[in-house]
Amino acid sequence: MAQTLYTKDHEYVRVEGDVGVVGITDYAQNQLGDVVFVELPTVGKAFRKGEQAAVVESVKAASEVYAPISGEIIDANAALEDAPALVNEDSAGRGWFVKMRVADRTELDGLMDEAAYAEFLKTVV
Amino acid sequence: MRYLPLTPDDREDMLRRIGVDHIDALFADVPADKLLQAPPDLPRRKSELEVERALSRMAARNVAACSVPFFVGAGAYKHHVPASVDHLIQRSEFLTSYTPYQPEISQGTLQMLFEFQTQVANLTGMEVANASMYDGSTGCGEATLMAHRITRRRRAVLSGGLHPHYAEVVRTQSAMTGDEVVSLPPDVRAQEDIAAHIDDDVSCVIVQSPDVFGNLRDLAPIAKACHAKGALLIAVFTEAVSLGLVEPPGAMGADIVVGEGQSIGNALNFGGPHVGLFATRQKFVRQMPGRLAGQTVDAEGRRGFVLTLSTREQHIRREKATSNICTNSGLCALAFSIHMTLLGQTGLRKLARVNHANAVKLADMLADAGVEVLNETFFNEFTVRVKGDAASLVERMAQAGVLGGVPVSRLLPGAGLDDLLLVASTEVNTNEDRAALVAALTQ
Amino acid sequence: MLNNQGRPTGAGAVAENAHARETFTRNRGLAMEEPLIFEVGRLDSTGVDIDEPEPFTQRLGKHARTAPIDLPGLSEPETMRHYVRLSQKNYAIDLGLYPLGSCTMKHNPRLNERMARLPGFGDIHPLQPVSTAQGALELMDTLAGWLMELTGASAVAMSPKAGAHGEACGMMAIKAAIEARGEGAQRRIVLVPESAHGTNPATAALIGYEVRAIPAREDGTVSVDAVRAALGPEVAALMLTNPNTCGLFEPEVVAIADAVHAAGAFFYCDGANFNAIVGKVRPMDLGVDAMHINLHKTFSTPHGGGGPGAGPVVLSPALAPFAPAPFVRRDGSAFTLVESAAGGQAFGRMTAFHGQMGMFVRAMSYMLSHGADGMRQASEDAVLNANYVRVCLSDVMSAPFGERPCMHEALFDDTWLKGSGVTTLDFAKAMIDEGYHPMTMYFPLVVHGAMLIEPTESESRASLDLFIMTLRDLAFSVQRGDVERFSGAPYHAPRRRLDETRAARQPVLRWTKPPPADGSRIAAE
């Protein structure tokens, strides 16, 4: 069963078996404004937790997206190339960035669950 | 002082309003022992007439291209610029405006840049062009960095026909970052086998055509060899008028095209300001340096233009920007664009044909006079072998009132090419000019 | 609203009217709509008269152009009209106050244009024999001398083409000097304050340095303690803007320079704001090792819609030997040009040829006109004007650093806009309707919703007073809750707000032929 976890940098990872679907949260897309471009890593590349894995751009800002967990990229959301607006419209769904193979399940323990992230947001707003 | 509107009374009033009694109270953060108590040790202000006199005296010590038979090229070319070009670029709204960061009140500059980008793209046969670089040589440096970003490799191979100043700019920059540069030896007759130097570590190959010796080069096989190894071809030109007659790099497979645009619309200016042209393929656009104007609509749905894709640039990306470049060569790009608009393809073709015809005529005259012309092919500039030292010959010709070309030794000192002379002939040269050059050269 | 002739003049009413009654041409009186040249030009039309050459045997080999050029031409009258119409869609210094902080939009004297166009300057070739360009070299040498006198430097590299290019040049000289000391591998880091212009970190990265940020102090300046804490044997240089991007002179600059030197590093000063202190203080006296000078800011060469600029770099004695080629040498009354970097310690070459001669002439003309006394006065007037604006607006807008005097630009933040529904951007766009170019917005980044106003010394008292009254009137509108004046602004510019998101999402960077009018493209989709 899928479980969604969050980082303090406003990335989420939805764990489905040994695959993690990674994107940015609704709060993050709201802060960024209209997303105009997403630079995604190539499939096959491996990242350690916390490494820069993608860049998301609005008109006036470029923000780095860090890998919330360690692992290899097994898929990247090609739809974002033509429709970066998906990140704004449906960040948790069709606006996902990459799918990663979960390399170390213990890393998941360090992430926030939905309730904890909601609490965390109260501290940043 | 004629440029300063405040009167002494204004100043006193304003200081009072601010609440200080002396201007230096506003400079309170400057350490007292560093604050100058009097103006620096330089001359006092001058009237317009006095300034004009002083500068005209200096200008008179120079020999202007328009005043003599003139054949100097090698990266900057003497062309006729229509009077309307200079008039238009002096319009206050073009001359005294800033970078178009407020698009609602900068549509003039933005639309012009959009038109310029289209002109450059079509001229070079490429898909997209930026809003210009400082000049061709710095554009060449930027193109090298761009190729390194795209290929994630760090070795550039420089043709021996590349303008030596351009090569030096690339080498200087690469030395700073530890990137590798392979510079092929001077290739006077376009005989080098550059493909032999392309391997899996090569990021880009930089080839100029017409090259610095005037030869035209076939870029298609080089592009093919590059692409077979995953490298990029950067094509360079220093004479934009050549594109009216010579196959453009885009049609031969170039990935990035950089060129000097001075020839169209811009004066020689002793080397600057000039205008760098920079074009590439659509798929590389996010790795391109420099400003870009793009089309959009306003709140009422009317077409308009804005600077776009600016997340590539230093003011947003800071140390991760594609370049530290911040200005373009706006007014020179405007001059280029106006002249290009006046020419159109019809005028450009004719202008290019006249240039080529004049150079051919001169080459024939020189050959008839027994001077060896080294080039098989050329556009409006070629290399000749002279008796003895070309630099002293050029000096002697100058004393005789002919500016007869560029000695290769000036660009490549110590290369053992002291008897070679680069000679350019454009539409400005008359039959009398050519006769004067032949006479001076063969004396 | 009624004016004193009793006729309606309400801005809203006019705008609605205009919108309701669209003209046939889409022109609005003198505000002309202008198509692209590709839409009006013709491929067989040209605005130049060039005769075909007599028949000759071409020497192009197999390289003749087969690819289409596809560029239309226009006759001269059409060309004039096209560009004059375009020009009328631009704001300009010659039209009004242009308070762009850090950009220095001062008057561009026309004498300078005339001087740059003298054939003896404009129509000379960089590679003609130096014996035929002695006056050009004399001018470069004279200008270099003035720059050295004004900054206290012992050398100047003239070739950089703009400010950012000058930064690269200065930092390359620093890198070369460090390598000559054998510390190249060790010193990998360049310190840059958070408040710095984006070019600083971009430049440091461009030449292979790692950038380390120095936090800004609450009062907008850099503290010597923060610099000391960041210094170490791995630091190559500090890049500091002074006067800084908040419009303040760094009070601890001498102590900062001493600390940098004590740590074996160099002090690069971004000279973008040199115009505030010309003739008042010499940067080299403060311990600066290298500084670029934006001739297009401080010495008023025209900005030209975004260039060309010019960025000579002054150097301390420690860096002077590493200056790039070419450089001018004076030998009595004769001048020579050293064009090769080979043999000496010069680090290489920044560009083809010798620099922005056209800008040198203009800057020289500006300097000769002003003289030492006029340049000092210009700096003082720039500072005076900025402080006058600051004081006259301080009761209606919020200044992040309180009543502290500024240098040549006054910085406000958006605290005073909080809860009003008006943002810094909205406020700026409403200035456009009043006939002003907005100030610099959202920079420096260290101040929230920053508005950086640089009036320059070119403004008269009356011009400043009208500007101040206009901003006060706008501020009162904010207080009254008249959000509409801002949220839709500009209403009266050639264009309303433009959709930048659309421009970035689907970039259209060039004109392409529209699809045939019969709709076949749509059918094909």
Side-chain angles (χ1 to χ4, degrees), chain A residues 49-76:
Chain A
K49 178 180 173 162
E51 281 186 330
Q52 182 194 321
V55 179
V56 55
E57 296 183 2
S58 62
V59 172
K60 301 282 184 199
S63 307
E64 287 150 11
V65 177
Y66 305 102
I69 53 169
S70 304
E72 185 192 332
I73 303 292
I74 53 175
D75 197 5

PDB file of all heavy atoms in Angstrom, chain A residues 49-76:
ATOM      1  N   LYS A  49      20.621  10.422  -1.207  1.00  0.00           N
ATOM      2  CA  LYS A  49      19.644  11.287  -0.536  1.00  0.00           C
ATOM      3  C   LYS A  49      20.235  12.682  -0.334  1.00  0.00           C
ATOM      4  O   LYS A  49      21.358  12.835   0.141  1.00  0.00           O
ATOM      5  CB  LYS A  49      19.287  10.673   0.824  1.00  0.00           C
ATOM      6  CG  LYS A  49      18.323  11.502   1.621  1.00  0.00           C
ATOM      7  CD  LYS A  49      18.007  10.852   2.959  1.00  0.00           C
ATOM      8  CE  LYS A  49      17.158  11.846   3.762  1.00  0.00           C
ATOM      9  NZ  LYS A  49      16.451  11.226   4.848  1.00  0.00           N
ATOM     10  N   GLY A  50      19.474  13.701  -0.739  1.00  0.00           N
ATOM     11  CA  GLY A  50      19.920  15.084  -0.526  1.00  0.00           C
ATOM     12  C   GLY A  50      20.670  15.681  -1.700  1.00  0.00           C
ATOM     13  O   GLY A  50      20.921  16.884  -1.735  1.00  0.00           O
ATOM     14  N   GLU A  51      21.038  14.855  -2.669  1.00  0.00           N
ATOM     15  CA  GLU A  51      21.716  15.398  -3.859  1.00  0.00           C
ATOM     16  C   GLU A  51      20.701  16.080  -4.767  1.00  0.00           C
ATOM     17  O   GLU A  51      19.540  15.680  -4.832  1.00  0.00           O
ATOM     18  CB  GLU A  51      22.394  14.263  -4.639  1.00  0.00           C
ATOM     19  CG  GLU A  51      23.706  13.818  -4.035  1.00  0.00           C
ATOM     20  CD  GLU A  51      24.418  12.804  -4.911  1.00  0.00           C
ATOM     21  OE1 GLU A  51      23.740  12.036  -5.640  1.00  0.00           O
ATOM     22  OE2 GLU A  51      25.637  12.770  -4.863  1.00  0.00           O
ATOM     23  N   GLN A  52      21.199  17.094  -5.494  1.00  0.00           N
ATOM     24  CA  GLN A  52      20.306  17.784  -6.424  1.00  0.00           C
ATOM     25  C   GLN A  52      19.944  16.840  -7.571  1.00  0.00           C
ATOM     26  O   GLN A  52      20.808  16.316  -8.259  1.00  0.00           O
ATOM     27  CB  GLN A  52      20.974  19.029  -6.978  1.00  0.00           C
ATOM     28  CG  GLN A  52      20.049  19.794  -7.905  1.00  0.00           C
ATOM     29  CD  GLN A  52      20.777  20.842  -8.726  1.00  0.00           C
ATOM     30  OE1 GLN A  52      21.677  21.506  -8.234  1.00  0.00           O
ATOM     31  NE2 GLN A  52      20.386  20.980  -9.987  1.00  0.00           N
ATOM     32  N   ALA A  53      18.645  16.620  -7.768  1.00  0.00           N
ATOM     33  CA  ALA A  53      18.229  15.667  -8.798  1.00  0.00           C
ATOM     34  C   ALA A  53      17.501  16.336  -9.948  1.00  0.00           C
ATOM     35  O   ALA A  53      17.464  15.827 -11.062  1.00  0.00           O
ATOM     36  CB  ALA A  53      17.324  14.603  -8.168  1.00  0.00           C
ATOM     37  N   ALA A  54      16.896  17.496  -9.692  1.00  0.00           N
ATOM     38  CA  ALA A  54      16.119  18.167 -10.735  1.00  0.00           C
ATOM     39  C   ALA A  54      16.119  19.654 -10.453  1.00  0.00           C
ATOM     40  O   ALA A  54      16.529  20.097  -9.376  1.00  0.00           O
ATOM     41  CB  ALA A  54      14.683  17.629 -10.751  1.00  0.00           C
ATOM     42  N   VAL A  55      15.684  20.420 -11.444  1.00  0.00           N
ATOM     43  CA  VAL A  55      15.522  21.860 -11.277  1.00  0.00           C
ATOM     44  C   VAL A  55      14.128  22.217 -11.768  1.00  0.00           C
ATOM     45  O   VAL A  55      13.695  21.750 -12.817  1.00  0.00           O
ATOM     46  CB  VAL A  55      16.566  22.665 -12.080  1.00  0.00           C
ATOM     47  CG1 VAL A  55      16.339  24.159 -11.883  1.00  0.00           C
ATOM     48  CG2 VAL A  55      17.984  22.287 -11.668  1.00  0.00           C
ATOM     49  N   VAL A  56      13.432  23.019 -10.986  1.00  0.00           N
ATOM     50  CA  VAL A  56      12.109  23.453 -11.412  1.00  0.00           C
ATOM     51  C   VAL A  56      12.143  24.972 -11.550  1.00  0.00           C
ATOM     52  O   VAL A  56      12.650  25.665 -10.672  1.00  0.00           O
ATOM     53  CB  VAL A  56      11.012  22.958 -10.440  1.00  0.00           C
ATOM     54  CG1 VAL A  56      11.283  23.369  -9.008  1.00  0.00           C
ATOM     55  CG2 VAL A  56       9.648  23.434 -10.877  1.00  0.00           C
ATOM     56  N   GLU A  57      11.649  25.457 -12.685  1.00  0.00           N
ATOM     57  CA  GLU A  57      11.765  26.882 -12.967  1.00  0.00           C
ATOM     58  C   GLU A  57      10.406  27.545 -13.110  1.00  0.00           C
ATOM     59  O   GLU A  57       9.509  27.033 -13.767  1.00  0.00           O
ATOM     60  CB  GLU A  57      12.538  27.100 -14.284  1.00  0.00           C
ATOM     61  CG  GLU A  57      13.967  26.619 -14.236  1.00  0.00           C
ATOM     62  CD  GLU A  57      14.710  26.928 -15.521  1.00  0.00           C
ATOM     63  OE1 GLU A  57      14.127  27.558 -16.435  1.00  0.00           O
ATOM     64  OE2 GLU A  57      15.896  26.534 -15.602  1.00  0.00           O
ATOM     65  N   SER A  58      10.297  28.719 -12.470  1.00  0.00           N
ATOM     66  CA  SER A  58       9.193  29.615 -12.776  1.00  0.00           C
ATOM     67  C   SER A  58       9.792  30.730 -13.633  1.00  0.00           C
ATOM     68  O   SER A  58      10.953  30.667 -13.998  1.00  0.00           O
ATOM     69  CB  SER A  58       8.571  30.152 -11.493  1.00  0.00           C
ATOM     70  OG  SER A  58       9.529  30.904 -10.784  1.00  0.00           O
ATOM     71  N   VAL A  59       8.986  31.761 -13.936  1.00  0.00           N
ATOM     72  CA  VAL A  59       9.509  32.808 -14.804  1.00  0.00           C
ATOM     73  C   VAL A  59      10.739  33.477 -14.204  1.00  0.00           C
ATOM     74  O   VAL A  59      11.709  33.753 -14.888  1.00  0.00           O
ATOM     75  CB  VAL A  59       8.412  33.857 -15.080  1.00  0.00           C
ATOM     76  CG1 VAL A  59       8.990  35.057 -15.806  1.00  0.00           C
ATOM     77  CG2 VAL A  59       7.304  33.245 -15.926  1.00  0.00           C
ATOM     78  N   LYS A  60      10.692  33.712 -12.898  1.00  0.00           N
ATOM     79  CA  LYS A  60      11.744  34.513 -12.266  1.00  0.00           C
ATOM     80  C   LYS A  60      12.582  33.742 -11.258  1.00  0.00           C
ATOM     81  O   LYS A  60      13.322  34.337 -10.496  1.00  0.00           O
ATOM     82  CB  LYS A  60      11.110  35.707 -11.537  1.00  0.00           C
ATOM     83  CG  LYS A  60      10.299  36.618 -12.419  1.00  0.00           C
ATOM     84  CD  LYS A  60      11.181  37.548 -13.232  1.00  0.00           C
ATOM     85  CE  LYS A  60      10.312  38.511 -14.027  1.00  0.00           C
ATOM     86  NZ  LYS A  60      10.992  39.128 -15.129  1.00  0.00           N
ATOM     87  N   ALA A  61      12.440  32.435 -11.206  1.00  0.00           N
ATOM     88  CA  ALA A  61      13.208  31.693 -10.219  1.00  0.00           C
ATOM     89  C   ALA A  61      13.533  30.293 -10.715  1.00  0.00           C
ATOM     90  O   ALA A  61      12.799  29.716 -11.509  1.00  0.00           O
ATOM     91  CB  ALA A  61      12.433  31.600  -8.908  1.00  0.00           C
ATOM     92  N   ALA A  62      14.656  29.790 -10.271  1.00  0.00           N
ATOM     93  CA  ALA A  62      15.029  28.406 -10.540  1.00  0.00           C
ATOM     94  C   ALA A  62      15.293  27.754  -9.202  1.00  0.00           C
ATOM     95  O   ALA A  62      16.076  28.260  -8.412  1.00  0.00           O
ATOM     96  CB  ALA A  62      16.270  28.363 -11.413  1.00  0.00           C
ATOM     97  N   SER A  63      14.605  26.670  -8.914  1.00  0.00           N
ATOM     98  CA  SER A  63      14.766  26.022  -7.618  1.00  0.00           C
ATOM     99  C   SER A  63      15.257  24.605  -7.801  1.00  0.00           C
ATOM    100  O   SER A  63      14.827  23.890  -8.699  1.00  0.00           O
ATOM    101  CB  SER A  63      13.431  25.995  -6.871  1.00  0.00           C
ATOM    102  OG  SER A  63      12.890  27.287  -6.808  1.00  0.00           O
ATOM    103  N   GLU A  64      16.149  24.215  -6.896  1.00  0.00           N
ATOM    104  CA  GLU A  64      16.686  22.872  -6.972  1.00  0.00           C
ATOM    105  C   GLU A  64      15.765  21.899  -6.250  1.00  0.00           C
ATOM    106  O   GLU A  64      15.170  22.229  -5.236  1.00  0.00           O
ATOM    107  CB  GLU A  64      18.077  22.846  -6.336  1.00  0.00           C
ATOM    108  CG  GLU A  64      19.093  23.545  -7.228  1.00  0.00           C
ATOM    109  CD  GLU A  64      20.225  24.183  -6.458  1.00  0.00           C
ATOM    110  OE1 GLU A  64      20.357  23.915  -5.262  1.00  0.00           O
ATOM    111  OE2 GLU A  64      20.973  24.961  -7.087  1.00  0.00           O
ATOM    112  N   VAL A  65      15.668  20.716  -6.807  1.00  0.00           N
ATOM    113  CA  VAL A  65      14.874  19.664  -6.178  1.00  0.00           C
ATOM    114  C   VAL A  65      15.849  18.562  -5.771  1.00  0.00           C
ATOM    115  O   VAL A  65      16.629  18.081  -6.595  1.00  0.00           O
ATOM    116  CB  VAL A  65      13.813  19.119  -7.162  1.00  0.00           C
ATOM    117  CG1 VAL A  65      13.037  17.977  -6.530  1.00  0.00           C
ATOM    118  CG2 VAL A  65      12.874  20.242  -7.592  1.00  0.00           C
ATOM    119  N   TYR A  66      15.823  18.218  -4.501  1.00  0.00           N
ATOM    120  CA  TYR A  66      16.782  17.250  -3.981  1.00  0.00           C
ATOM    121  C   TYR A  66      16.149  15.865  -3.896  1.00  0.00           C
ATOM    122  O   TYR A  66      14.955  15.735  -3.631  1.00  0.00           O
ATOM    123  CB  TYR A  66      17.271  17.693  -2.600  1.00  0.00           C
ATOM    124  CG  TYR A  66      17.837  19.092  -2.611  1.00  0.00           C
ATOM    125  CD1 TYR A  66      17.094  20.169  -2.138  1.00  0.00           C
ATOM    126  CD2 TYR A  66      19.097  19.344  -3.146  1.00  0.00           C
ATOM    127  CE1 TYR A  66      17.599  21.464  -2.171  1.00  0.00           C
ATOM    128  CE2 TYR A  66      19.618  20.633  -3.187  1.00  0.00           C
ATOM    129  CZ  TYR A  66      18.861  21.684  -2.702  1.00  0.00           C
ATOM    130  OH  TYR A  66      19.360  22.960  -2.743  1.00  0.00           O
ATOM    131  N   ALA A  67      16.981  14.862  -4.101  1.00  0.00           N
ATOM    132  CA  ALA A  67      16.476  13.496  -3.984  1.00  0.00           C
ATOM    133  C   ALA A  67      16.074  13.249  -2.530  1.00  0.00           C
ATOM    134  O   ALA A  67      16.898  13.384  -1.632  1.00  0.00           O
ATOM    135  CB  ALA A  67      17.562  12.511  -4.408  1.00  0.00           C
ATOM    136  N   PRO A  68      14.816  12.902  -2.279  1.00  0.00           N
ATOM    137  CA  PRO A  68      14.384  12.683  -0.898  1.00  0.00           C
ATOM    138  C   PRO A  68      14.921  11.370  -0.317  1.00  0.00           C
ATOM    139  O   PRO A  68      14.972  11.196   0.892  1.00  0.00           O
ATOM    140  CB  PRO A  68      12.852  12.648  -0.995  1.00  0.00           C
ATOM    141  CG  PRO A  68      12.544  12.310  -2.410  1.00  0.00           C
ATOM    142  CD  PRO A  68      13.695  12.780  -3.237  1.00  0.00           C
ATOM    143  N   ILE A  69      15.294  10.474  -1.230  1.00  0.00           N
ATOM    144  CA  ILE A  69      15.863   9.186  -0.812  1.00  0.00           C
ATOM    145  C   ILE A  69      16.997   8.844  -1.769  1.00  0.00           C
ATOM    146  O   ILE A  69      17.128   9.469  -2.821  1.00  0.00           O
ATOM    147  CB  ILE A  69      14.811   8.050  -0.870  1.00  0.00           C
ATOM    148  CG1 ILE A  69      14.161   8.031  -2.279  1.00  0.00           C
ATOM    149  CG2 ILE A  69      13.746   8.214   0.207  1.00  0.00           C
ATOM    150  CD1 ILE A  69      13.306   6.816  -2.536  1.00  0.00           C
ATOM    151  N   SER A  70      17.805   7.869  -1.416  1.00  0.00           N
ATOM    152  CA  SER A  70      18.842   7.397  -2.328  1.00  0.00           C
ATOM    153  C   SER A  70      18.245   6.377  -3.283  1.00  0.00           C
ATOM    154  O   SER A  70      17.292   5.682  -2.933  1.00  0.00           O
ATOM    155  CB  SER A  70      19.979   6.745  -1.548  1.00  0.00           C
ATOM    156  OG  SER A  70      20.486   7.650  -0.594  1.00  0.00           O
ATOM    157  N   GLY A  71      18.813   6.326  -4.483  1.00  0.00           N
ATOM    158  CA  GLY A  71      18.340   5.306  -5.408  1.00  0.00           C
ATOM    159  C   GLY A  71      18.545   5.691  -6.858  1.00  0.00           C
ATOM    160  O   GLY A  71      18.956   6.810  -7.172  1.00  0.00           O
ATOM    161  N   GLU A  72      18.229   4.744  -7.719  1.00  0.00           N
ATOM    162  CA  GLU A  72      18.407   4.942  -9.145  1.00  0.00           C
ATOM    163  C   GLU A  72      17.113   5.488  -9.752  1.00  0.00           C
ATOM    164  O   GLU A  72      16.017   5.110  -9.336  1.00  0.00           O
ATOM    165  CB  GLU A  72      18.753   3.584  -9.785  1.00  0.00           C
ATOM    166  CG  GLU A  72      19.083   3.647 -11.256  1.00  0.00           C
ATOM    167  CD  GLU A  72      19.120   2.251 -11.885  1.00  0.00           C
ATOM    168  OE1 GLU A  72      19.408   1.271 -11.164  1.00  0.00           O
ATOM    169  OE2 GLU A  72      18.846   2.160 -13.089  1.00  0.00           O
ATOM    170  N   ILE A  73      17.272   6.357 -10.751  1.00  0.00           N
ATOM    171  CA  ILE A  73      16.099   6.884 -11.459  1.00  0.00           C
ATOM    172  C   ILE A  73      15.621   5.798 -12.433  1.00  0.00           C
ATOM    173  O   ILE A  73      16.387   5.362 -13.303  1.00  0.00           O
ATOM    174  CB  ILE A  73      16.457   8.155 -12.258  1.00  0.00           C
ATOM    175  CG1 ILE A  73      17.062   9.227 -11.344  1.00  0.00           C
ATOM    176  CG2 ILE A  73      15.227   8.686 -13.002  1.00  0.00           C
ATOM    177  CD1 ILE A  73      16.131   9.826 -10.336  1.00  0.00           C
ATOM    178  N   ILE A  74      14.378   5.366 -12.289  1.00  0.00           N
ATOM    179  CA  ILE A  74      13.890   4.341 -13.216  1.00  0.00           C
ATOM    180  C   ILE A  74      12.877   4.905 -14.208  1.00  0.00           C
ATOM    181  O   ILE A  74      12.550   4.283 -15.206  1.00  0.00           O
ATOM    182  CB  ILE A  74      13.289   3.128 -12.460  1.00  0.00           C
ATOM    183  CG1 ILE A  74      12.227   3.584 -11.467  1.00  0.00           C
ATOM    184  CG2 ILE A  74      14.392   2.344 -11.741  1.00  0.00           C
ATOM    185  CD1 ILE A  74      11.520   2.416 -10.789  1.00  0.00           C
ATOM    186  N   ASP A  75      12.386   6.110 -13.938  1.00  0.00           N
ATOM    187  CA  ASP A  75      11.475   6.744 -14.902  1.00  0.00           C
ATOM    188  C   ASP A  75      11.453   8.244 -14.627  1.00  0.00           C
ATOM    189  O   ASP A  75      11.644   8.676 -13.487  1.00  0.00           O
ATOM    190  CB  ASP A  75      10.057   6.149 -14.747  1.00  0.00           C
ATOM    191  CG  ASP A  75       9.173   6.456 -15.966  1.00  0.00           C
ATOM    192  OD1 ASP A  75       9.700   7.033 -16.950  1.00  0.00           O
ATOM    193  OD2 ASP A  75       7.977   6.104 -15.914  1.00  0.00           O
ATOM    194  N   ALA A  76      11.281   9.027 -15.689  1.00  0.00           N
ATOM    195  CA  ALA A  76      11.137  10.480 -15.545  1.00  0.00           C
ATOM    196  C   ALA A  76       9.874  10.884 -16.293  1.00  0.00           C
ATOM    197  O   ALA A  76       9.557  10.318 -17.340  1.00  0.00           O
ATOM    198  CB  ALA A  76      12.360  11.199 -16.112  1.00  0.00           C
TER     199      ALA A  76
END
